[in-house]
Amino acid sequence: MVLACQPVAAQSLKAENLRCEYQPHPLSVQTHTPALSWELRTDHRNVRQTAYQILVSDNRSSLAKHLGNVWDSGKIQSDASIQVGYAGQTLEPAHTYYWKVKTWDNQGATSDWSAVGEWQMGLLAPTDWHGARWIAYEQLPAARVNVLPVDGAKDTYRDNNTLPLLRKQFTAKKPTKATLFISGLGQFEAVLNGQKVGNHFLDPGWTKYDQEAQYVAFDVTGLVKSGPNALGVVLGNGFYYVPPVKERYRKLKAAFGYPKLICRLALTYADGSHADVVSDPTWRTTASPITFSSIYGGEDYNATLEQAGWATAGFQDSAWRPVITVDGPPQLVAQQQEPLRVFDAFKARRITQAQPGKWVYDFGQNASGIIELRVKGQRGDTVRITPSELLGPDKAISQKNVGRGFYFTYVLKGSGVETWRPRFTYYGFRYAQVEGGVPQSESNPKNRPKILRLTALHTRNAAASAGSFLCSNDLLNRTHTLIDWAVKSNLASVMTDCPHREKLGWLEQTHLMGGSLRYGYDVATLCRKTLADRRASQTADGLVPEIAPEYVKFEWGGDMFRDSPEWGSASIILPWYVYQWYGDRQVLTENYDLMRRYAAYLGTKAQGHILSQGLGDWYDLGPKPPGTSQLTPMGVTGTATYYYDLTILAKIALLLGKTDDAAGYEQLGAAVKKAFNARFFNPQTKQYATGSQAANAMALYMGLVAPADQAAVLANLVQDISSHGNALTAGDIGYRYVLRVLEDAGRSDVIFALNSRSDVPGYGYQLAHGATALTESWAALPTVSNNHLMLGHLQEWLYGGLAGIRPAEGSVAFDKIDIKPEPVGDVTSARATHRSPYGLIGSDWKKTGNSFELTVTIPANTTATIYLPAAATATITEGNQPLTQRPDLKLLAAEAGKARIQAGSGTYHFVVSSI
């Protein structure tokens, strides 16, 4: 083979994209030892950092003089550029710190000091709130608090709570810094001098409220003025209180309390003095125009009850009443995950009259979100908007599959054009049915309100995009979009299963869909938050229930919806995946007790090391309607997951220096493996259990198959897929492992065949039946959710298999990368990018005739092995330059018909002729 490369350009080394605790400018860091990270940028190849120096100061002027008056690390000989722990003076609550970094590389270059980054500390102790109290309009009687009801339990009360406005007028000087630390339960919006604070939606994130709540920090320096000011807050129920109203849908009956508020507005002045405005008994309150709000039932708003200027100085609040002080959750922690925000806006593609007085708006996309109504009419006119995923046979909206009784109601104030959007709820929908109003384009003999515009607003977690994908195959591109809409629609303050009937954090999808999520979005902070939810939801005996935060005990069919190893094991698997993907060792330390206790719990449930409880391969494709496992016997998936847990725990314990624990987990794992094979493996047929796709794939992936039998078990898996006409049968649990095993074995051709059909249940089938987001069932059944996260595992293959961007074996945070594209089927090109903690990784290939071209981007401070489809007689070039002129591009031994090239950072363009 002949290899070549391009000339070296002049180098310029920079440290960029500074981050503290994963964020560029966090306002409420909740640790005294925050993790700092940066990316190296250079136009040179094969660059690795050899040293760094960090300066941290409590003021910009000192830092400008290169003085770290809080921490000067000195020159540290290290290649670490991510998760570098702060090690300076004790950090003070609510203080802002400024930092920069200088780096040195392996080629003798030294960077300039980076641009300045900054972070602000949060409030780490109760005393940091400076006397702020929880305040409220009213208090739920203690006898009515029910923080963990059993699903199906009868209601004990029927009252409807008040959604309040709260306000405080204060006098201030113009500050040099003003931060609002605030928590309003269940949700809040703050208004300062008449302007909404921030652009968040549904703050704070929902948590296990009997243990903790989150607070949010906002920089409001530009909103505070000299003289009189007014701070106002409107509160919603969220998951904190679910109103027991018969006419409205609700999945849960949880009632932690009525809405309440705690806040501290911290002011810093030019002379160095400080002042605080805190929530206390001097605040005043009244009912808001929101007359009903439920996370499950929708929201009603009466604009005739509005009080203009209620959050401005000078407003007369004498008719308002004093707040009451109340108790709140025992712990307040900073909102570490990204907030929810409004993203896409969809106009109606068509408007039809389904029935007299019922107008259906079709927005063309099933997505999580809210509506925005623009309307004109008479005072007291009422418009009702009912969203849905699907239409019924009568072409009106249907909520049969997602819980009847979710709608929005708006009562007009009659003052010209009015615009309204809900504040404290959301839904998953494509359609919206309007009653009580008439589209602007239609005749209006009854003089009903004119709907000037109805818009669908997509809301989701603001996790940054981390990837892109496109290929030459239209079905795969549309499949990527289909899954992506389900991903976006279910990124909230937990990773929800669906954005309508449940909105709950079912745990299995956080590890099974983890790779697919992380390729596309930076979900590090959301992963950390969901792990905190698991710690809060773990029971005294070590059980981690299948949902977290756990707001209700699902007791249908005993404990199968609460105690399934494939779900609870996310508490062990996800921390390991977060460490592998982001290099976050702290996530292992802070969750080790959670993991240890859950593994011990599983040990108490095992019979002869076999776990048979739970749901199994949920929603697999069998002869019956989808539900609990049909094709794979109970015990297979649970026990295989249990063994996987133990192998992971042994690695984690060893990494954390707990060698005795590691030895114990290895010993127990060996016993589980022996029992699993004795129970489920047939040495004559080389099949596990029934020979289902899930059974054979999980045994292979988890390392339960003896080396001598691996090829035969894999052959049986491929044969089963072929015998079904290249159709899948595995469900929520098994399908991810089918894909992983096939990709690892170099059988992406089978994956392509498996996902290239539209005539059998699968992605193509869903698209052919009109789905615009991934559905709950492979067959896109109208009786279940049509926007569901759990079956989107193919994203991981699109990025890692087809485009070829994969973390190499043993890599941490993509410090070692495999670029291993799989040109299969009729796919002639594919390109993907992924922003790893070290920087952007890119793979862009195309196949024409008997040649193959690949452009690769590898970030600084990492290395890659690049796999190219190449016969022994093929000619490989890189930039038309011979490899002999660049010894740092190293040709390795060929593997399975692929040439392997070891490379450092840089951008490379390879051409393979005569493939």
Side-chain angles (χ1 to χ4, degrees):
M1 294 182 184
V2 179
L3 287 94
C5 66
Q6 65 187 27
V8 178
Q11 181 185 14
S12 97
L13 181 66
K14 296 180 180 179
E16 297 181 344
N17 193 19
L18 274 61
R19 304 176 302 284
C20 174
E21 291 292 296
Y22 293 106
Q23 297 176 330
H25 303 290
L27 292 175
S28 52
V29 170
Q30 200 73 16
T31 173
H32 286 291
T33 56
L36 307 177
S37 303
W38 57 91
E39 294 178 16
L40 295 180
R41 300 289 176 86
T42 176
D43 51 18
H44 206 293
R45 289 180 174 179
N46 299 299
V47 171
R48 295 194 65 87
Q49 179 183 289
T50 59
Y52 67 83
Q53 182 179 4
I54 296 173
L55 299 179
V56 180
S57 177
D58 59 8
N59 64 88
R60 285 184 176 274
S61 59
S62 292
L63 203 62
K65 299 173 185 176
H66 308 314
L67 298 176
N69 68 344
V70 176
W71 183 38
D72 182 345
S73 70
K75 185 176 180 180
I76 305 293
Q77 299 295 327
S78 171
D79 64 355
S81 60
I82 65 169
Q83 302 291 332
V84 177
Y86 170 83
Q89 299 176 22
T90 300
L91 301 170
E92 298 295 326
H95 282 218
T96 299
Y97 296 92
Y98 306 92
W99 71 289
K100 60 184 180 181
V101 62
K102 176 187 287 190
T103 59
W104 291 259
D105 73 11
N106 59 336
Q107 298 180 18
T110 304
S111 74
D112 292 330
W113 287 105
S114 68
V116 175
E118 65 180 80
W119 78 83
Q120 180 173 289
M121 295 299 293
L123 308 181
L124 280 68
T127 54
D128 297 337
W129 286 87
H130 288 192
R133 301 281 302 276
W134 284 100
I135 59 175
Y137 177 89
E138 59 187 338
Q139 184 167 8
L140 181 68
R144 296 180 176 178
V145 175
N146 189 359
V147 297
L148 191 59
V150 174
D151 185 71
K154 293 183 179 180
D155 296 328
T156 58
Y157 55 99
R158 290 281 305 159
D159 60 327
N160 190 12
N161 64 312
T162 297
L163 288 307
L165 302 175
L166 305 98
R167 73 183 304 272
K168 171 68 176 179
Q169 189 157 314
F170 63 95
T171 301
K173 297 182 291 185
K174 182 62 180 174
T176 57
K177 179 77 171 180
T179 305
L180 178 63
F181 300 96
I182 179 171
S183 181
L185 301 178
Q187 321 283 179
F188 73 88
E189 277 192 11
V191 184
L192 185 51
N193 292 326
Q195 184 170 334
K196 179 184 173 181
V197 173
N199 60 355
H200 297 185
F201 177 68
L202 291 186
D203 273 341
W206 44 90
T207 54
K208 194 75 163 55
Y209 296 112
D210 57 329
Q211 296 191 37
E212 66 180 25
Q214 293 188 330
Y215 70 89
V216 188
F218 296 96
D219 184 345
V220 294
T221 307
L223 298 182
V224 180
K225 59 186 179 181
S226 294
N229 293 261
L231 174 60
V233 181
V234 56
L235 297 179
N237 287 317
F239 279 96
Y240 195 66
Y241 180 77
V242 180
V245 176
K246 183 178 180 180
E247 296 77 19
R248 310 298 275 258
Y249 173 72
R250 62 184 178 128
K251 181 72 175 179
L252 309 174
K253 301 175 177 66
F256 293 89
Y258 284 148
K260 58 195 61 173
L261 164 72
I262 190 170
C263 69
R264 173 192 168 194
L265 175 59
L267 304 170
T268 300
Y269 298 120
D271 61 5
S273 62
H274 301 273
D276 288 296
V277 178
V278 300
S279 51
D280 61 21
T282 65
W283 284 55
R284 299 185 69 80
T285 184
T286 194
S288 78
I290 303 173
T291 56
F292 175 85
S293 184
S294 169
I295 196 71
Y296 286 118
E299 191 161 300
D300 301 338
Y301 188 90
N302 187 341
T304 68
L305 302 178
E306 289 181 350
Q307 300 186 50
W310 69 275
T312 60
F315 175 80
Q316 296 300 312
D317 60 11
S318 57
W320 293 29
R321 68 192 199 187
V323 298
I324 61 173
T325 57
V326 294
D327 292 330
Q331 186 176 12
L332 271 169
V333 297
Q335 180 167 286
Q336 57 184 308
Q337 76 280 2
E338 298 296 330
L340 277 69
R341 291 196 179 111
V342 173
F343 284 83
D344 308 75
F346 295 98
K347 297 179 181 179
R349 293 188 178 182
R350 64 182 61 86
I351 304 171
T352 57
Q353 188 174 23
Q355 299 171 12
K358 295 182 178 181
W359 299 90
V360 174
Y361 289 65
D362 179 1
F363 299 104
Q365 177 61 55
N366 190 350
S368 57
I370 56 175
I371 55 90
E372 182 175 84
L373 173 67
R374 188 172 173 84
V375 63
K376 185 175 182 179
Q378 303 299 313
R379 182 178 179 85
D381 285 345
T382 301
V383 177
R384 176 182 289 190
I385 301 107
T386 308
S388 72
E389 293 190 311
L390 302 173
L391 299 180
D394 59 358
K395 303 303 180 183
I397 60 95
S398 172
Q399 292 182 339
K400 289 182 179 180
N401 62 320
V402 288
R404 296 181 180 92
F406 185 104
Y407 54 85
F408 308 111
T409 301
Y410 181 74
V411 180
L412 281 70
K413 58 188 171 185
S415 59
V417 176
E418 303 175 41
T419 302
W420 173 76
R421 63 173 68 173
R423 285 186 172 95
F424 299 127
T425 189
Y426 75 106
Y427 204 64
F429 66 100
R430 171 178 173 171
Y431 305 96
Q433 181 171 288
V434 174
E435 299 174 72
V438 177
Q440 186 176 21
S441 59
E442 302 295 326
S443 61
N444 190 13
K446 295 184 179 181
N447 198 30
R448 291 176 175 170
K450 276 286 187 178
I451 309 301
L452 306 181
R453 186 176 66 231
L454 186 66
T455 307
L457 303 177
H458 169 48
T459 62
R460 68 164 176 87
N461 184 285
S465 174
S468 64
F469 170 84
L470 187 68
C471 74
S472 61
N473 182 286
D474 180 64
L475 179 58
L476 292 179
N477 289 336
R478 290 191 295 128
T479 297
H480 172 267
T481 301
L482 182 84
I483 298 171
D484 189 53
W485 270 110
V487 168
K488 290 188 291 189
S489 296
N490 287 288
L491 290 183
S493 59
V494 299
M495 299 178 196
T496 64
D497 58 334
C498 57
H500 30 62
R501 69 165 191 248
E502 292 193 13
K503 302 182 173 82
L504 297 176
W506 290 93
L507 299 189
E508 94 291 1
Q509 60 199 10
T510 65
H511 69 93
L512 294 170
M513 275 293 292
S516 295
L517 291 168
R518 291 187 298 271
Y519 269 117
Y521 297 92
D522 183 353
V523 292
T525 58
L526 185 56
C527 287
R528 292 182 64 92
K529 191 270 180 181
T530 64
L531 288 167
D533 292 333
R534 288 164 213 191
R535 296 195 299 271
S537 296
Q538 188 172 33
T539 63
D541 62 358
L543 166 69
V544 177
E546 293 172 41
I547 57 171
E550 188 183 30
Y551 293 132
V552 62
K553 285 185 179 180
F554 289 125
E555 294 192 341
W556 317 318
D559 284 338
M560 68 178 182
F561 284 98
R562 195 168 188 242
D563 182 11
S564 197
E566 305 88 343
W567 276 250
S569 291
S571 303
I572 295 171
I573 300 170
L574 183 61
W576 180 242
Y577 286 178
V578 171
Y579 167 71
Q580 289 183 311
W581 203 273
Y582 298 112
D584 191 342
R585 183 177 174 133
Q586 181 61 30
V587 81
L588 303 179
T589 302
E590 65 188 11
N591 290 291
Y592 187 74
D593 188 59
L594 166 74
M595 296 184 270
R596 180 189 58 79
R597 292 179 57 219
Y598 183 65
Y601 171 80
L602 291 180
T604 68
K605 300 289 288 188
Q607 300 293 321
H609 300 301
I610 301 297
L611 289 171
S612 299
Q613 76 268 30
L615 302 172
D617 189 21
W618 179 249
Y619 263 53
D620 61 349
L621 275 168
K624 301 176 182 179
T628 53
S629 181
Q630 300 183 55
L631 305 182
T632 305
M634 298 301 293
V636 174
T637 58
T639 308
T641 303
Y642 180 35
Y643 175 74
Y644 192 44
D645 292 344
L646 296 171
T647 62
I648 288 173
L649 265 172
K651 296 174 184 176
I652 293 172
L654 200 61
L655 190 66
L656 299 181
K658 302 177 185 294
T659 53
D660 290 345
D661 286 3
Y665 290 128
E666 288 176 355
Q667 183 178 4
L668 179 56
V672 172
K673 182 176 183 176
K674 182 178 179 180
F676 181 88
N677 282 299
R679 173 74 67 88
F680 297 116
F681 183 59
N682 185 325
Q684 282 73 45
T685 63
K686 308 297 184 185
Q687 300 271 23
Y688 278 86
T690 55
S692 68
Q693 293 174 13
N696 283 333
M698 291 187 71
L700 283 165
Y701 186 85
M702 270 63 170
L704 287 156
V705 184
D709 296 320
Q710 288 174 2
V713 176
L714 175 67
N716 281 327
L717 171 62
V718 173
Q719 175 58 36
D720 183 85
I721 294 170
S722 177
S723 69
H724 284 88
N726 292 326
L728 58 88
T729 63
D732 179 20
I733 305 303
Y735 181 59
R736 192 245 174 179
Y737 299 112
V738 171
L739 297 177
R740 294 292 90 228
V741 166
L742 292 173
E743 182 181 325
D744 289 344
R747 296 308 307 269
S748 283
D749 59 319
V750 179
I751 296 176
F752 176 81
L754 193 62
N755 293 282
S756 296
R757 298 185 62 178
S758 299
D759 58 331
V760 294
Y763 302 119
Y765 188 89
Q766 293 181 18
L767 289 163
H769 284 74
T772 59
L774 181 66
T775 71
E776 183 177 12
S777 65
W778 285 123
L781 298 174
T783 53
V784 297
S785 165
N786 274 248
N787 189 337
H788 224 79
L789 180 59
M790 70 184 188
L791 296 176
H793 314 104
L794 192 70
Q795 294 284 58
E796 193 172 3
W797 176 76
L798 294 177
Y799 281 93
L802 189 62
I805 299 174
R806 299 189 64 177
E809 183 70 27
S811 75
V812 177
F814 281 90
D815 62 342
K816 302 178 189 68
I817 305 163
D818 281 344
I819 302 294
K820 194 175 183 181
E822 298 286 353
V824 292
D826 63 1
V827 183
T828 57
S829 67
R831 66 175 182 266
T833 62
H834 173 68
R835 182 164 291 281
S836 76
Y838 288 99
L840 189 69
I841 305 169
S843 174
D844 183 351
W845 65 263
K846 64 179 179 180
K847 184 173 63 173
T848 55
N850 64 348
S851 70
F852 181 84
E853 296 183 45
L854 173 66
T855 301
V856 178
T857 299
I858 306 299
N861 224 15
T862 70
T863 59
T865 301
I866 300 164
Y867 293 73
L868 296 170
T873 57
T875 299
I876 302 175
T877 62
E878 197 286 310
N880 296 315
Q881 298 292 327
L883 181 65
T884 54
Q885 295 181 10
R886 289 295 300 274
D888 49 349
L889 258 182
K890 184 178 180 182
L891 179 64
L892 305 174
E895 179 183 290
K898 294 181 182 290
R900 297 191 305 144
I901 301 167
Q902 184 174 308
S905 63
T907 297
Y908 304 87
H909 180 71
F910 296 95
V911 177
V912 184
S913 302
S914 304
I915 61 172

